Amino acid sequence: MQVENDRVFLRQAIELAKNGVEQGAGGPFGCIVVKDSLVIGRGYNQVTSTNDPTAHAEVVAIRDACRHLGSYQLTDCDLYTSCEPCPMCLGAIYWARPRRVIYACTRHEAATAGFDDAVIYQEINVPVDERKIPFDHQALNEAAALFRLWKDKGDKKLY
Amino acid sequence: MQVENDRVFLRQAIELAKNGVEQGAGGPFGCIVVKDSLVIGRGYNQVTSTNDPTAHAEVVAIRDACRHLGSYQLTDCDLYTSCEPCPMCLGAIYWARPRRVIYACTRHEAATAGFDDAVIYQEINVPVDERKIPFDHQALNEAAALFRLWKDKGDKKLY
């Protein structure tokens, strides 16, 4: 039963992806967020049409669902995506904290279509000073003071 | 000379972070994007004030800079961030492809302030079926067909 329900929602994510490609919105990826069997967020890749490198299907759907809920947390929500998330989207998912993620294609299938998330998956584990994009650490007292400011703040909202 | 220039820009990123905390926008993080010595994108964490779990300083600054450039690529741009990026932001950076990233605090300092990016860094390397958030793979023919649709598309824009 759950598998059959999952497939119904996965097909909706895939349909979004297909429409996105046909419209020329971006890459072949779609995502929906479901809560209590209702679709509360939708997204398809819009990187090239909106000039936003972060507009992956999952990020767009998470933002849409959070707007709908008026919350930055996707508690008790399930996220259906046409393809296994890239590291950016995986990070977005962990920050949004849905209950479950269901995906159809794997990152390896995505790679054969030219979406090489593997490079980013590898780079995450490379020491910062050996990355393809150079990462320079420059310690500054003012930056350390930011965390003290945060720790001392009385009315802060944690996330 | 470059180090001194870097510090000037890093301090601007830190100032944005500070203003964000003081306004109650979100966590203590700021970021700017610089091209040809000009600031072309700005961001501070706005997760809790905008109910957007993806509104980290880097993502906001990347989106702002890309809007400014009318491009989804940050070619020849440098990204200054008050703190080492979390995996979501690291992914966003790799998709945006700036020339260089300069950061002030480390992820370990962030962890002591309660921002536990380490969990997400760990989870990325955990097999999908052993993650804290369950990831279910369900292969579907319709999903595989998406990549064929993409491969066969004549006028597609790569990213």
Side-chain angles (χ1 to χ4, degrees):
Chain A
M1 182 65 185
Q2 184 176 282
V3 168
E4 207 34 63
N5 279 346
D6 282 350
R7 287 189 176 168
V8 169
F9 289 126
L10 266 182
R11 286 194 177 101
Q12 291 186 41
I14 293 164
E15 201 57 32
L16 275 175
K18 202 177 151 197
N19 292 343
V21 171
E22 285 167 353
Q23 286 167 37
F29 303 98
C31 179
I32 61 170
V33 178
V34 174
K35 186 174 184 177
D36 299 331
S37 301
L38 291 173
V39 178
I40 59 157
R42 290 177 178 80
Y44 51 87
N45 186 292
Q46 300 171 40
V47 168
T48 54
S49 57
T50 64
N51 285 323
D52 179 356
T54 73
H56 284 202
E58 295 91 330
V59 167
V60 175
I62 288 170
R63 300 179 80 217
D64 190 40
C66 285
R67 252 191 313 269
H68 177 85
L69 293 176
S71 167
Y72 48 92
Q73 296 289 269
L74 295 180
T75 312
D76 295 328
C77 295
D78 298 329
L79 188 140
Y80 292 85
T81 175
S82 63
C83 187
E84 188 179 349
C86 81
M88 174 180 72
C89 294
L90 188 76
I93 288 166
Y94 272 86
W95 287 114
R97 302 183 180 89
R99 181 172 60 178
R100 199 161 69 97
V101 175
I102 306 93
Y103 63 95
C105 291
T106 67
R107 68 174 94 169
H108 310 294
E109 291 174 279
T112 68
F115 296 96
D116 207 1
D117 301 0
V119 173
I120 307 180
Y121 273 105
Q122 283 158 18
E123 285 286 293
I124 281 176
N125 295 313
V126 169
V128 285
D129 53 355
E130 294 171 21
R131 293 220 177 108
K132 288 185 205 302
I133 296 178
F135 274 63
D136 292 340
H137 177 218
Q138 296 194 15
L140 283 179
N141 291 336
E142 297 93 323
L146 273 177
F147 290 137
R148 286 197 298 278
L149 178 71
W150 179 254
K151 283 183 213 170
D152 294 344
K153 190 174 166 70
D155 58 344
K156 67 187 170 228
K157 211 166 170 181
L158 302 174
Y159 57 88
Chain B
M1 182 63 185
Q2 185 177 282
V3 168
E4 207 35 63
N5 280 347
D6 282 350
R7 288 190 175 166
V8 170
F9 288 126
L10 266 182
R11 286 195 178 100
Q12 291 186 40
I14 293 164
E15 201 56 33
L16 275 176
K18 202 177 151 198
N19 292 344
V21 171
E22 286 167 353
Q23 287 168 36
F29 303 97
C31 179
I32 61 169
V33 178
V34 173
K35 185 174 185 177
D36 298 331
S37 301
L38 291 173
V39 178
I40 59 157
R42 288 176 179 81
Y44 51 87
N45 186 292
Q46 300 170 41
V47 168
T48 54
S49 59
T50 64
N51 286 323
D52 180 356
T54 73
H56 284 202
E58 295 92 330
V59 166
V60 176
I62 288 170
R63 299 179 81 216
D64 190 41
C66 284
R67 254 192 311 269
H68 176 85
L69 293 176
S71 167
Y72 49 91
Q73 296 290 267
L74 295 179
T75 311
D76 294 330
C77 294
D78 297 330
L79 187 141
Y80 293 84
T81 176
S82 63
C83 187
E84 189 179 349
C86 81
M88 174 179 72
C89 294
L90 188 76
I93 288 165
Y94 273 87
W95 288 115
R97 304 185 180 89
R99 181 172 61 179
R100 198 160 71 96
V101 175
I102 306 93
Y103 64 95
C105 291
T106 66
R107 66 174 96 168
H108 310 293
E109 291 173 279
T112 68
F115 296 96
D116 208 0
D117 302 1
V119 174
I120 307 181
Y121 272 105
Q122 284 158 16
E123 285 285 292
I124 282 177
N125 295 314
V126 168
V128 285
D129 52 356
E130 294 170 22
R131 294 221 177 107
K132 288 184 205 302
I133 297 178
F135 275 64
D136 293 340
H137 176 218
Q138 296 195 14
L140 283 178
N141 291 336
E142 296 93 323
L146 273 177
F147 290 138
R148 284 197 300 277
L149 178 71
W150 179 254
K151 283 183 212 169
D152 293 344
K153 189 174 165 71
D155 58 344
K156 68 186 170 231
K157 211 165 168 182
L158 302 174
Y159 57 89

